[in-house]
Amino acid sequence: AFWPTMQTTFIDPRGLPETVDPALDSLGRMYFKNHETKTTSWEDPRKDQQEVTLTTWRQAQSTRWWKEQARAEVEDMAKQRLELDERDDEAVELLS
């Protein structure tokens, strides 16, 4: 039977070896295909890499997210201020 490829949005910064591809089974469980040895495994080949790499990446992702949120908030406030200024100008014109 054919199972469509399932995708995830998580990108692990540690990366996989060149000869290994991640895959999802029909239940959505991740396994790894090693093309060099022509084997599959449930064991993540990145498990031996230091947690420091992943922690650093998480911090960078968090910082980027907060910067995007702050920028969006500043843009929203500027838009609101512009709308209020336009309303004030219209009110002054009506009173003149």
Side-chain angles (χ1 to χ4, degrees), residues 69-87:
Q69 295 303 309
R71 180 189 50 76
E73 185 67 23
V74 167
E75 288 177 358
D76 189 46
M77 290 173 65
K79 182 179 175 184
Q80 289 175 1
R81 183 178 301 156
L82 182 62
E83 289 172 358
L84 287 173
D85 288 345
E86 288 173 356
R87 286 184 200 154

Side-chain angles (χ1 to χ4, degrees), residues 34-46:
N34 188 322
H35 299 288
E36 187 175 56
T37 62
K38 299 192 184 328
T39 59
T40 60
S41 173
W42 295 109
E43 294 293 319
D44 190 333
R46 301 167 292 195

